[in-house]
Each structure stands twice: as structure tokens, then as C-alpha cells.
Amino acid sequence: MTRGPVDYEFDRLDRAIVNAFQGGFPVVEDPFELAAGALRERGVDIGAADLHARLTEMVDAGALSRYGALVNAEEIGGAASLVALHAPEDRYDEIAEQVNDFREVAHNYEREHPHLNMWFVVSVADSDGVATVLDRIEEATGQETYDMPKLREFHVGAKFLLDGPIPDGDVDLSHLGPSVTPTDRRSLSPDEYDLVMAIQGGFPTTRTPYADIAAELDKSVSWVLETIKRFNEEGKVRRVGVIPNHYALGYTENGMTVWNVPDDLVDEVGPAVAELEFVTHCYRRPRHEGVWPYNFFAMTHGRDEAESERRIQQVRDVMAQYWDVDDDEWDSLFSTRILKKTGIRLDERAKANTVETEETA
């Protein structure tokens, strides 16, 4: 089965690995032994060596974007915000280039909307720096920007499941690893900064990834295991596991649904929508009077247009349990073109949030 831009044939073992380990991979010196054992308990006959080989093959082929720790940039330092603007059709590509020239701009998408048709993410090291970047973008493009920072996060947890073994994706081995005590410290130590830089792009695809990270950093394996496990519990790491290329898995329909939820209901509606397994991101964001009436965003993905429409209807069904949703109180903005996708500039954000501690001073 060839899916999306990546030519990869997912067989039964591949599907089991993708479904099982989009989170909850063990943080132990040899994670593949325990992970393979969990698959065998679910009726998938595979050993540690074959599991490692399959995972490596999928990473090398691009079927997986990477495997390892999904770092939560918000908890590492700095700030990011979703921004929209209107680009006239006759200047669209010109404005896209101007916006993309800003190194602070990470993802940028063309989306279907009669007015706000360009959507991008601005990431900065200084928590007050978004406004400065937007002023510069407005000066360069001559177009007004509409800042839509996250006011409340209800859910972030993209999980893309395939037909096959472990269809619910409910294997969770995140409890396996060293016992750690979370801290409330928001800053990073220099050693922690080095670790974040080493793992942000994924773990090495070896049988001993944690030992290899430790060797790269000249730290003990126990320190690497304990720090990643603690980061996971503190929220600096959202999860440890495989990160699929959702296009390769066939999830090509990317729908950003937006809703004008009554303000007094948002805190009830948010958790209910977040429980839908296909909703990958769910936030409250500000309205912009006269331009943008929506205050609630829920991102959905589908493998075809029909599936995507069914899922959007399910979101609306949940909404309808709380208030009568009129047709003019919601919209869905599908992406039609990826204009830029370079990822969050985590290095600068983390560096600005790094301080000497008593242990490292």
C-alpha cells in the first residue's frame, strides 16, 4: 500500500508498531526488549531485534518522521503564536515569500478562507517578542496580521492509527524506567539544554539509544534516563515513542475547524471535544472583532474527504450537546498548500531559558 508522498508498504508488523508506540515507549537502557514483549502479549510475534530493524526501516524510509521524545516547546522556553493574514490572490506568492523569509516563522499554510487565507506560526525566544515580529511582517507585506495566541490548551496529542493489530493504540509503557521526582523549575540547566538539543530531532535508531545519547553528551546513561523520564512527567516532553509521517499513513486531509462557542460554555465544550480520538489539537483562542468571530479551534485529520467530513460532523454533534450551533457559527479551513515547514526554533528558545544551577555553577 503506497500512501502519500512516501512510497512505503505497511505490513502487519509495521501497523502494529505504529499503532502501539505513538506514545508510551519505555525509558530504559534496552527499550526494545520490553516493547517487543508488550507486542507479543497483544498477539504480535516479534523479537527485540526485529522490532528495532522495522522501526529503523520506517524512519529511514520516511514513513516515520522520527522516533524518540516529542519535546513540548512551550515548556522549554520562549513563546509561539498562531497568526493569520489576508494575501490578495495577485500577490499571494510574493507575500508568502516575504513571510517565509522571517526565521521566526515556522509552519506556514495556505488555507481555504475568503479572507484569512495564510496561516503561520511565529516562534520566539523572548516571550514578549511575537508582537515585534508581527510589526515587521506587516511592514514587509503591507498586510494586517491577526495574532491568535493559545488562551487555553484542551488537548495536544496527534495519534494516527492504521487498520490492523492494536487498533486502539493503547499500549503504554511510559511507567517503565527510573523513579523520578518532578520539579516545578521552569528553566533548564546547561546539561538539560544539551540534552534537549540532542533529542529534539529524534533518538538515534540504534539498539541502545539512551546509551548513545549519553555518550554524545559525556553523561551517564542513568542521568539521561532519569532526565528524560522526569521531563516526561513534568510536561517538558509530551511523550516518548514513534512520530508518524501522517501523510505516509494516508492522513492527507487536514481540517482546522473553528467555532464561535459562547464564552460561558468554552470550558465545558473543550474537554468534551478533546475526548474525540481523531482531534489532534484543541485550543481556545481570541476572536478579532469584525474579522474573525471564532474562539475555539479543533484540528482533525482524515484519510479522505469523506472521512474528514464525517469527523467534522462528529465535532459538531458534540458541540450541539451544549448549544444550538448555527451554520454561521463555525467553519472548516482545509490546507491547500504547505508554504513553509521548518519546525520550531527550539535551540534559541531553550538557550534563552537556560541558567546555571547550584549543581552546574
Side-chain angles (χ1 to χ4, degrees):
M1 178 186 67
T2 301
R3 293 287 196 172
V6 175
D7 186 6
Y8 188 85
E9 195 91 6
F10 291 93
D11 68 11
R12 182 174 182 274
L13 286 179
D14 297 324
R15 292 165 179 268
I17 295 166
V18 169
N19 286 350
F21 296 121
Q22 290 183 47
F25 212 68
V27 185
V28 298
E29 193 160 352
D30 185 357
F32 292 97
E33 285 289 353
L34 294 175
L39 289 178
R40 290 194 297 271
E41 290 177 1
R42 297 295 189 95
V44 180
D45 186 16
I46 191 171
D50 285 340
L51 171 57
H52 168 251
R54 285 302 184 98
L55 187 148
T56 301
E57 182 182 354
M58 284 191 281
V59 172
D60 290 345
L64 299 178
S65 297
R66 62 188 186 279
Y67 115 90
L70 183 61
V71 177
N72 183 353
E74 183 179 358
E75 293 296 322
I76 294 300
S81 192
L82 179 66
V83 182
L85 62 71
H86 170 67
E89 184 177 350
D90 61 347
R91 293 188 58 219
Y92 198 95
D93 290 343
E94 172 197 351
I95 291 173
E97 290 183 11
Q98 291 170 331
V99 170
N100 291 347
D101 278 344
F102 285 83
R103 61 188 181 84
E104 295 91 349
V105 170
H107 318 306
N108 188 7
Y109 289 86
E110 180 179 17
R111 290 193 178 276
E112 297 174 337
H113 189 266
H115 186 63
L116 299 184
N117 54 3
M118 188 178 295
W119 292 77
F120 52 92
V121 173
V122 170
S123 174
V124 293
D126 180 355
S127 59
D128 298 323
V130 172
T132 300
V133 174
L134 296 189
D135 286 344
R136 292 164 53 211
I137 289 175
E138 290 185 353
E139 182 179 359
T141 63
Q143 299 300 118
E144 185 173 359
T145 60
Y146 297 91
D147 188 13
M148 302 188 194
K150 178 171 54 179
L151 301 180
R152 180 176 174 185
E153 176 184 303
F154 294 102
H155 176 69
V156 175
K159 185 172 279 192
F160 301 97
L161 300 176
L162 295 169
D163 297 332
I166 317 176
D168 296 327
D170 55 351
V171 173
D172 186 357
L173 305 180
S174 59
H175 62 286
L176 298 175
S179 297
V180 295
T181 302
T183 73
D184 57 4
R185 178 167 53 87
R186 298 300 299 273
S187 62
L188 301 173
S189 71
D191 287 340
E192 290 170 343
Y193 167 82
D194 290 341
L195 176 62
V196 169
M197 293 300 98
I199 68 176
Q200 66 168 330
F203 289 173
T205 52
T206 63
R207 275 298 301 271
T208 56
Y210 299 105
D212 292 335
I213 294 167
E216 177 185 344
L217 299 177
D218 195 23
K219 303 292 288 185
S220 68
V221 179
S222 61
W223 180 85
V224 169
L225 292 169
E226 290 167 5
T227 306
I228 291 176
K229 184 78 157 28
R230 176 169 56 80
F231 277 5
N232 200 185
E233 296 189 14
E234 292 173 350
K236 292 183 177 68
V237 164
R238 291 191 182 275
R239 63 185 185 273
V240 178
V242 301
I243 315 296
N245 174 348
H246 62 271
Y247 293 104
L249 271 59
Y251 286 88
T252 56
E253 295 290 320
N254 168 355
M256 185 175 75
T257 71
V258 293
W259 310 79
N260 183 14
V261 179
D263 289 335
D264 60 343
L265 294 177
V266 175
D267 290 342
E268 293 182 69
V269 169
V273 172
E275 288 182 0
L276 296 170
E277 54 88 18
F278 56 80
V279 171
T280 59
H281 302 75
C282 190
Y283 304 113
R284 181 176 188 170
R285 298 187 186 276
R287 301 179 180 92
H288 286 270
E289 187 174 355
V291 178
W292 187 254
Y294 310 109
N295 63 341
F296 187 89
F297 289 59
M299 184 69 71
T300 67
H301 294 263
R303 284 166 286 194
D304 53 44
E305 186 175 345
E307 181 177 61
S308 189
E309 293 295 339
R310 287 195 303 272
R311 291 179 167 184
I312 290 171
Q313 183 59 50
Q314 286 179 260
V315 176
R316 183 169 182 173
D317 291 344
V318 171
M319 294 284 185
Q321 297 174 24
Y322 295 87
W323 95 99
D324 294 329
V325 186
D326 292 336
D327 288 343
D328 62 355
E329 291 183 308
W330 75 283
D331 200 355
S332 57
L333 282 66
F334 286 91
S335 62
T336 55
R337 192 166 31 141
I338 299 174
L339 303 172
K340 183 179 183 180
K341 194 168 185 179
T342 58
I344 298 296
R345 291 165 32 252
L346 199 56
D347 54 345
E348 295 181 20
R349 290 175 60 170
K351 191 68 173 179
N353 193 38
T354 299
V355 299
E356 293 285 348
T357 65
E358 292 181 1
E359 290 80 8
T360 59

